[in-house]
Amino acid sequence: MLFTDRTDAGRRLAEALRHLQEEKPVVLGLPRGGVPVAYQVARALGAPLDVIVVRKLGVPYHRELAFGAIGEGGVRVISDDIVRRGRIRREELTSVEHAEEAELARQARRFREDRPRVALEGRTAIIVDDGIATGATAAAACEVVRAQGAGRVVLAVPVAPPDAAAWLRTKADEVVCLSTPAMFSAVGEWYQDFSQTPDEEVVSLLAQAADVGSTKAEVTAVEVDAGGVPLAGDLTLPDGAGAIVMFAHGSGSSRHSPRNRHVATTLNRAGLGTLLFDLLTPAEEADRANVFDIETLARRLADATRWLRNRESFPIGYFGASTGAAAALRAAAPADASAGPGIGAVVSRGGRPDLAGPRLGEVRAPTLLIVGGHDTLVLDLNRHAQTELRCENRLEIVPGATHLFEEPGALDQVADLARSWFVRHLTGSGPIPDPPS
């Protein structure tokens, strides 16, 4: 079984876990790669999502050999047999534990931010990873989760070698594994895309899951009809939504972009609906030339806008990143403005408005250009584009930020700027305060 990416693996795994839905489980993702898989499982089961932070305790002179593991809440699982046979001195054991405790606390704060750990006492806990190699970390996670009070422990993974899967059935109450290929050498070979999962994506997915659990928002997987081309999308409508923002992702990205999803979460908190969808089909994405075909991307966005208007009667705005910003501006500037989709506002994040060409002057929607202060080339392009715009517009520079806004707090500033712009121009509410944390 070959998986497209972790999202695809998570959706397939969720179907194999449907029988647990009535148990009202808690889904726990092993960071980092297990969290995107777990997110899809939690979403499908309507279950809370949390991260299970586990640190293995390695024998000082042989770090790969673990003599135990620690977890949050002071959970400590020690193999007295390995400690005895390894002749590990008490001071060595204590030194290893203290170092790993510090790293465990750091990871928990980084991933979960200020949210409390989801309580497991008496509940079914589904531990999810993107695959199993040796199974050592998954086994430690099972022991830690059981020690934290889980009533039942289920381990769920897309792929694992047969011997590891068999061994892990002695550690968990149930193991769900979609594929156990005999010729197994590495987890990544069973994925088309097994790119590294950054910390930012883990943080964003956990925040999204927490927001869905704490606010009433309908999240629907949709098939967008863009002029006869079916495109996969995710439509989120909070209760009382007053407008919808459509996201046009940049080159090399997709509707699963953690940065766009981070911004979308902020907009949902403010009562704005969001539609994240792919502008190209998987086959089209394989040709890199297509991701820079602004005319095609803009046409798809305009067609998708008409589809959305037939479905929902809300004011619509565009949020575009990189080349997606050019597509958004071009789609907001039809040759015959009276026949256009009537976009209420546009926000560009690190965008390439220059690629919209001469159509910039035809844009009528209030436009906010957001650029990182250290993204000098794109900043120059945006300053020039601003002179071409004839609509209400503003250029906001995020100090110290680079093109992807990866610096601490930079993406939060982008999200807050976008939220204020869309609320003001799509709902007429004017500036709003930050939502309560």
Side-chain angles (χ1 to χ4, degrees):
M1 183 178 290
L2 184 65
F3 305 100
T4 304
D5 53 20
R6 290 181 178 88
T7 297
D8 174 49
R11 287 174 176 167
R12 295 204 221 176
L13 192 59
E15 290 304 313
L17 294 165
R18 289 285 185 188
H19 65 286
L20 298 173
Q21 192 164 15
E22 295 303 315
E23 297 184 26
K24 299 188 182 303
V26 175
V27 178
L28 304 170
L30 274 164
R32 298 174 176 79
V35 175
V37 183
Y39 177 81
Q40 297 299 327
V41 172
R43 180 175 170 184
L45 301 184
L49 173 67
D50 201 355
V51 66
I52 171 67
V53 184
V54 174
R55 299 295 298 177
K56 289 185 292 183
L57 303 175
V59 173
Y61 54 83
H62 185 16
R63 292 291 184 182
E64 291 303 310
L65 175 61
F67 65 82
I70 57 171
E72 293 176 270
V75 169
R76 180 174 176 267
V77 180
I78 302 295
S79 170
D80 293 330
D81 182 55
I82 293 179
V83 170
R84 183 176 59 256
R85 288 191 290 112
R87 297 181 179 179
I88 305 172
R89 299 194 305 271
R90 174 58 55 185
E91 58 268 24
E92 291 177 323
L93 189 150
T94 301
S95 176
V96 172
E97 282 195 53
H98 284 173
E100 295 300 340
E101 284 171 355
E103 179 60 18
L104 183 142
R106 187 198 68 80
Q107 286 192 357
R109 286 194 303 271
R110 171 73 175 119
F111 295 142
R112 199 180 285 117
E113 298 182 315
D114 295 326
R115 293 182 300 277
R117 179 168 57 87
V118 176
L120 301 180
E121 287 79 3
R123 302 186 69 173
T124 294
I126 304 176
I127 301 170
V128 178
D129 206 353
D130 53 10
I132 296 295
T134 66
T137 300
C142 290
E143 293 186 71
V144 166
V145 166
R146 202 180 297 281
Q148 288 176 339
R152 186 160 179 254
V153 179
V154 178
L155 177 64
V157 294
V159 62
D163 55 345
W167 175 60
L168 287 167
R169 287 188 172 89
T170 69
K171 304 296 181 182
D173 298 307
E174 181 181 353
V175 173
V176 176
C177 182
L178 301 182
S179 181
T180 54
M183 302 296 289
F184 183 99
S185 61
V187 173
E189 67 181 358
W190 303 100
Y191 285 80
Q192 292 178 359
D193 177 4
F194 197 64
S195 53
Q196 188 175 25
T197 301
D199 283 359
E200 291 79 12
E201 182 173 359
V202 174
V203 172
S204 176
L205 291 175
L206 291 172
Q208 290 175 58
D211 285 335
V212 170
S214 61
T215 62
K216 294 183 178 180
E218 179 184 354
V219 184
T220 307
V222 296
E223 184 177 87
V224 178
D225 181 0
V229 179
L231 301 171
D234 295 315
L235 178 64
T236 302
L237 290 177
D239 278 358
I244 298 179
V245 176
M246 301 177 70
F247 281 68
H249 59 78
S251 59
S253 187
S254 73
R255 71 185 187 281
H256 302 302
S257 160
R259 295 175 184 84
N260 281 351
R261 287 189 174 273
H262 182 91
V263 174
T265 297
T266 298
L267 301 185
N268 295 152
R269 288 173 181 165
L272 297 169
T274 53
L275 174 61
L276 290 92
F277 70 107
D278 294 331
L279 290 169
L280 298 171
T281 66
E284 289 171 335
E285 288 176 351
D287 184 350
R288 288 290 296 168
N290 287 328
V291 303
F292 294 99
D293 185 349
I294 304 303
E295 183 174 352
T296 295
L297 298 179
R299 185 170 61 251
R300 289 278 171 85
L301 183 55
D303 288 340
T305 303
R306 281 184 274 273
W307 170 86
L308 183 59
R309 285 198 183 283
N310 288 333
R311 178 188 174 104
E312 309 289 346
S313 56
F314 293 111
I316 293 175
Y318 288 159
F319 182 93
S322 189
T323 53
L329 288 164
R330 189 165 181 133
D336 179 1
S338 64
I343 300 307
V346 176
V347 173
S348 162
R349 170 180 68 82
R352 291 291 306 276
D354 55 299
L355 296 179
R359 304 292 292 278
L360 273 176
E362 300 172 23
V363 176
R364 295 293 176 265
T367 298
L368 175 64
L369 307 173
I370 307 174
V371 187
H374 288 172
D375 192 7
T376 53
L377 175 59
V378 173
L379 180 55
D380 288 342
L381 293 171
N382 276 258
R383 281 174 170 150
H384 178 72
Q386 193 179 21
T387 66
E388 302 292 323
L389 289 168
R390 298 292 176 265
C391 57
E392 177 188 347
N393 65 83
R394 192 165 83 226
L395 173 64
E396 287 283 356
I397 301 171
V398 178
T402 50
H403 185 62
L404 295 179
F405 297 90
E406 296 176 302
E407 296 72 22
L411 196 58
D412 290 331
Q413 292 185 57
V414 171
D416 289 341
L417 288 167
R419 172 178 57 85
S420 295
W421 192 261
F422 283 129
V423 167
R424 173 187 171 194
H425 292 287
L426 296 182
T427 70
S429 300
I432 61 173
D434 291 336
S437 57

